[in-house]
């Protein structure tokens, strides 16, 4: 990496490598004030990190030196920043608080965005109110979203996260090409009262098309062909393929190629969300994201949440050589937020060549994983506290619960705070000795147990603390992570908006599929031949 600030950060790292997070607190009485941000309903505390003001200054200089300010403008203004696909990246255009014109290929895209939103809202209102009927005249009760990747993860995660704001409609998501997934869905739905929403940007995705065909076939075993119009809806850019599938023009919700799949929940891809929570809440979700967009675009880097959090990730990834980052939401509603972020982050920044096509000689995309607290505490937190790896954590929590019950929420919050504290402070030998002495252990017993009971601490975390889980706050939170991905891509000088790495597997799967009915498979490597042979024994 040739950036000047990168070299200075290396020296800063060497200088402070032995320092502990608690030392930084001891040095600076104002640390929390200086290393936290209060914005709208958000309180982001990044003081429990292995860095000081000088590190942060160097990190923000690095952002400037990378051309981040100009890059942000190009991103919002519709520059074709997805160069390898020759596309703009404009999910932000879908959630402008005050819609203004944005040009793509010399054409203002805003009127069309507003038109599709209206189409979505009118449709959602009809279905929710019961005005939209199934083919036998009954109101729709169940919505099945058929999609995969960004056409599934975002809608599924948000629908689940905002379940509290749901209406009478029941939502189910089918994504996996594994027939067991769709068969379990079929068991639950009634052809008279179910609406199928097929979501595929390209309408060529194998998994989605086979699931859609299987559901259509099952539906037509239970209903006449003329009933398709009441029960099958599609979201896609590929109007031709949707029509071929048998969906009428008025049942197609268009989208555009300037929305990347993993950033598409704000577009017509979010139709299932809109059905689940209603247009009013969907608009609030968009507005929350729009506010975060404004913050990201206008705040100084030193007070800019997506920028600072992105830089902290780069700090650990590239200077501390940390490989993974855990995301722990202290909310059962956000149980699939880590899975959603895995696609958003890892599909975006899992790249090994830079913008000039040259192999990078530094680490890029970090590995993302996580599960909701407190369950995660009883699963993998042992390794985070006492294992040999440093794992920076994002703790995400909400100050006000959605259901009454301070008894539960106090306990949840005390765990939320305790874990960040325990990771940072650890427990030293002196404290362990005192505790064991109080328990009446002998000096020999104490010395034997000591190494197992000491926590070295000094493990970093960010706390993203939000007033309450509302549609608007969720919108802001998702947008925060989206922009964080963007910033990291700029620093690492990689293209964040393509995903060529998923193509090879798809291509080979299509070739292998044909070989199941062929005698000769010796063009495959010996291991794959063995696997295909084993499969063929059981294939009927
Ligand atoms: O996994 C690759 C990918 O292209 C994702 O980026 C995308 O979200 C997903 O497949 C689904 O694609 P589509 O919406 O075109 O079916």
């Amino acid at each position: 990496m040739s950036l000047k600030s990168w070299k200075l950060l290396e020296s800063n790292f060497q200088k402070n490598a032995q320092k502990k997070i608690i030392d930084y607190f001891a040095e600076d009485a104002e640390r929390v004030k200086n290393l936290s941000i209060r914005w709208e309903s958000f309180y982001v505390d990044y003081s429990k990190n292995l860095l000081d003001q000088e590190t942060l200054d160097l990190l923000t200089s690095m952002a400037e030196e990378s051309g981040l300010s100009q890059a942000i403008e190009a991103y919002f203004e519709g520059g074709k920043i997805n160069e390898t696909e020759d596309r703009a990246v404009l999910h932000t255009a879908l959630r402008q608080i005050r819609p203004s014109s944005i040009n793509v290929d010399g054409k203002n895209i805003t009127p069309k965005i507003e038109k599709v939103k209206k189409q979505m809202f009118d449709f959602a209102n009809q279905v929710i109110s019961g005005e939209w009927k199934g083919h036998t005249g009954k109101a729709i009760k169940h919505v099945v979203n058929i999609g995969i990747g960004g056409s599934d993860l975002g809608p599924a995660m948000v629908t689940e996260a905002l379940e509290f704001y749901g209406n009478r409609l029941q939502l189910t998501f089918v994504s996996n090409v594994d027939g067991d997934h769709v068969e379990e869905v079929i068991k639950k739905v009634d052809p008279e009262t179910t609406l199928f929403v097929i979501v595929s940007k390209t309408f060529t995705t194998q998994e989605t098309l086979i699931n859609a065909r299987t559901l259509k076939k099952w539906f037509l075993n239970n209903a006449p062909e003329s009933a398709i119009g009441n029960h099958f809806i599609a979201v896609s850019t590929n109007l031709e393929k949707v029509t071929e599938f048998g969906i009428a023009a008025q049942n197609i919700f268009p989208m555009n190629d300037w929305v990347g799949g993993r950033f598409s929940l704000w577009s017509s891809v979010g139709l299932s969300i809109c059905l689940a929570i209603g247009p009013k809440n969907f608009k609030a979700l968009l507005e929350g994201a729009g506010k975060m967009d404004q913050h990201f675009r206008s705040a100084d880097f030193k007070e800019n949440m997506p920028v600072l959090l992105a830089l902290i990730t780069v700090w650990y990834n590239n200077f501390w050589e940390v490989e993974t980052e855990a995301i722990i939401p202290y909310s059962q509603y956000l149980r699939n937020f880590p899975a959603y972020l895995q696609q958003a982050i890892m599909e975006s920044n899992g790249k090994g060549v830079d913008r000039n096509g040259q192999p990078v000689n530094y680490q890029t995309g970090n590995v993302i994983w996580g599960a909701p607290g407190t369950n995660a505490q009883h699963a993998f937190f042992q390794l985070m506290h006492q294992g040999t790896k440093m794992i920076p954590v994002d703790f995400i929590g909400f100050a006000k619960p959605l259901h009454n019950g301070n008894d539960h929420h106090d306990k949840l919050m005390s765990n939320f705070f305790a874990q960040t504290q325990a990771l940072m402070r650890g427990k030293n030998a002196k404290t362990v000795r005192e505790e064991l002495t109080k328990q009446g252990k002998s000096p020999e017993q104490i010395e034997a147990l000591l190494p197992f009971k000491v926590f070295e601490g000094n493990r970093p975390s960010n706390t993203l603390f939000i007033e309450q889980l509302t549609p608007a706050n969720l919108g802001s939170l998702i947008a925060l992570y989206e922009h964080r991905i963007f910033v990291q891509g700029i620093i690492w000088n990689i293209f964040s908006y393509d995903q060529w790495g998923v193509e090879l597997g798809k291509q080979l799967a299509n070739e292998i599929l044909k070989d199941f009915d062929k005698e000769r498979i010796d063009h495959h490597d010996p291991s794959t031949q063995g696997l295909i042979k084993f499969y063929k024994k059981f294939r009927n």
Side-chain angles (χ1 to χ4, degrees):
M1 177 63 80
S2 59
L3 297 172
K4 234 169 51 200
S5 42
W6 190 278
K7 303 267 168 308
L8 296 172
L9 278 160
E10 277 169 349
S11 315
N12 180 276
F13 170 76
Q14 294 301 338
K15 185 173 83 179
N16 294 328
Q18 299 310 316
K19 245 182 172 171
K20 296 206 177 313
I21 306 173
I22 47 170
D23 299 334
Y24 290 116
F25 276 95
E27 278 170 13
D28 179 6
E30 302 277 270
R31 184 168 170 89
V32 176
K33 190 169 153 255
N34 296 335
L35 275 64
S36 65
I37 293 176
R38 187 79 180 82
W39 174 86
E40 298 273 334
S41 307
F42 280 57
Y43 173 40
V44 174
D45 178 347
Y46 55 99
S47 63
K48 291 189 182 90
N49 276 301
L50 284 154
L51 43 77
D52 62 8
Q53 199 53 57
E54 189 192 333
T55 324
L56 283 166
D57 290 345
L58 289 170
L59 286 168
T60 47
S61 306
M62 177 172 70
E64 282 297 358
E65 199 187 340
S66 311
L68 182 60
S69 302
Q70 299 85 320
I72 292 174
E73 280 319 293
Y75 170 39
F76 279 91
E77 288 298 328
K80 294 210 171 170
I81 62 170
N82 178 357
E83 280 186 31
T84 66
E85 293 180 335
D86 192 28
R87 288 175 185 167
V89 177
L90 275 172
H91 43 279
T92 52
L94 297 157
R95 55 207 194 195
Q96 291 188 87
I97 306 244
R98 261 167 250 93
S100 61
S101 67
I102 296 174
N103 289 335
V104 174
D105 294 327
K107 215 171 155 217
N108 179 11
I109 57 168
T110 305
K112 173 112 183 277
I113 292 174
E114 294 307 309
K115 190 172 160 212
V116 175
K117 265 192 214 167
K118 184 170 179 323
Q119 187 193 357
M120 284 170 72
F121 298 159
D122 290 348
F123 177 71
N125 281 330
Q126 281 181 49
V127 177
I128 296 164
S129 69
E131 194 190 318
W132 180 283
K133 304 269 190 253
H135 68 288
T136 56
K138 293 185 185 166
I140 298 296
K141 286 189 193 153
H142 207 138
V143 177
V144 176
N145 187 96
I146 311 164
I148 196 163
S151 299
D152 166 71
L153 286 162
M157 183 277 287
V158 174
T159 300
E160 193 173 79
L162 298 178
E163 191 184 351
F164 180 81
Y165 302 89
N167 49 43
R168 61 174 195 84
L169 295 175
Q170 202 191 325
L171 270 287
T172 299
F173 291 81
V174 58
S175 51
N176 202 323
V177 73
D178 181 353
D180 292 346
H181 196 179
V182 72
E183 289 303 329
E184 289 300 330
V185 172
I186 285 173
K187 278 201 223 160
K188 288 186 206 121
V189 295
D190 175 349
E192 288 184 80
T193 54
T194 302
L195 182 75
F196 298 94
V197 183
I198 311 168
V199 188
S200 177
K201 181 175 167 180
T202 55
F203 224 78
T204 56
T205 305
Q206 184 198 50
E207 293 89 338
T208 301
L209 291 188
I210 188 168
N211 281 329
R213 277 191 210 113
T214 301
L215 284 165
K216 186 177 164 193
K217 193 165 158 217
W218 165 83
F219 179 79
L220 289 177
N221 285 336
N222 296 282
E225 184 83 35
S226 59
I228 291 281
N230 303 54
H231 294 269
F232 281 81
I233 302 293
V235 174
S236 187
T237 57
N238 194 342
L239 307 189
E240 203 183 313
K241 286 259 183 254
V242 179
T243 311
E244 247 171 57
F245 183 86
I247 293 185
Q250 70 272 17
N251 282 355
I252 305 175
F253 292 77
M255 64 182 291
N256 292 87
D257 68 3
W258 42 256
V259 188
R262 53 192 175 274
F263 303 99
S264 64
L265 68 92
W266 322 98
S267 71
S268 48
V269 168
L271 184 61
S272 297
I273 304 172
C274 193
L275 288 162
I277 61 173
K280 191 168 153 258
N281 288 316
F282 190 78
K283 282 180 205 167
L285 178 82
L286 294 181
E287 201 173 304
K291 281 191 181 165
M292 182 56 74
D293 295 344
Q294 289 178 340
H295 165 80
F296 175 55
R297 201 173 175 181
S298 61
D300 188 275
F301 289 170
K302 292 191 183 349
E303 283 150 29
N304 191 316
M305 291 182 287
V307 172
L308 287 168
L309 294 177
L311 293 172
I312 291 171
T313 294
V314 173
W315 175 238
Y316 290 118
N317 192 66
N318 296 94
F319 298 89
W320 287 86
E321 293 180 6
V322 154
E323 297 267 319
T324 84
E325 204 165 73
I327 314 265
I328 313 291
Y330 275 67
S331 161
Q332 186 61 14
Y333 287 118
L334 288 192
R335 58 194 174 275
N336 275 315
F337 194 51
Y340 161 77
L341 287 178
Q342 280 177 328
Q343 187 204 15
I345 299 174
M346 292 160 76
E347 197 167 86
S348 298
N349 286 336
K351 310 287 164 65
V353 292
D354 68 15
R355 285 162 191 251
N356 303 312
Q358 296 303 313
V360 294
N361 59 3
Y362 46 87
Q363 290 285 320
T364 61
N366 46 337
V367 178
I368 297 296
W369 57 287
T374 54
N375 301 33
Q377 291 171 209
H378 294 273
F380 50 75
F381 266 49
Q382 165 63 38
L383 183 146
M384 295 191 340
H385 284 289
Q386 285 189 314
T388 54
K389 296 174 172 56
M390 185 204 280
I391 300 163
V393 191
D394 276 1
F395 284 89
I396 302 169
F398 299 92
K400 287 195 253 168
L402 288 173
H403 292 278
N404 291 329
N406 272 343
D407 192 23
H408 281 267
H409 206 61
D410 281 351
K411 288 187 171 68
L412 180 71
M413 288 296 99
S414 61
N415 276 281
F416 178 58
F417 305 140
Q419 289 298 328
T420 69
Q421 195 176 53
L423 285 167
M424 174 178 72
R425 287 213 317 224
K427 196 192 267 188
N428 61 24
K430 184 169 168 274
T431 312
V432 175
R433 273 201 191 91
E434 280 165 11
E435 280 180 7
L436 292 174
T437 310
K438 262 195 211 143
Q439 288 166 21
K441 301 274 185 226
S442 69
E444 295 73 36
Q445 285 173 320
I446 291 174
E447 288 319 303
L449 276 173
L450 198 70
F452 304 102
K453 295 222 157 202
V454 165
F455 288 53
E456 70 184 26
N458 205 32
R459 303 190 175 210
S461 66
N462 298 308
T463 303
L464 284 74
F465 202 14
I466 305 165
E467 225 169 274
Q468 195 169 35
L469 178 52
T470 61
N473 287 338
L474 181 67
S476 301
L477 180 69
I478 299 169
L480 187 162
Y481 277 94
E482 287 179 344
H483 299 320
R484 194 171 167 177
I485 292 167
F486 170 84
V487 175
Q488 285 164 210
I490 297 298
I491 306 280
W492 290 325
N493 192 28
I494 53 174
F495 288 127
S496 300
Y497 297 99
D498 55 21
Q499 55 287 316
W500 300 110
V502 297
E503 293 305 320
L504 177 61
K506 285 188 199 171
Q507 201 184 326
L508 293 183
N510 283 332
E511 285 167 25
I512 290 174
L513 186 63
K514 288 184 210 134
D515 289 343
F516 292 155
D517 291 317
K518 287 187 191 146
E519 274 305 310
R520 292 197 62 174
I521 54 165
D522 52 6
H523 51 290
H524 291 288
D525 62 86
S527 164
T528 309
Q529 282 184 50
L531 296 169
I532 296 174
K533 275 189 202 147
F534 185 78
Y535 176 59
K536 281 184 164 184
K537 271 196 206 160
F538 299 97
R539 189 171 174 251
N540 46 38

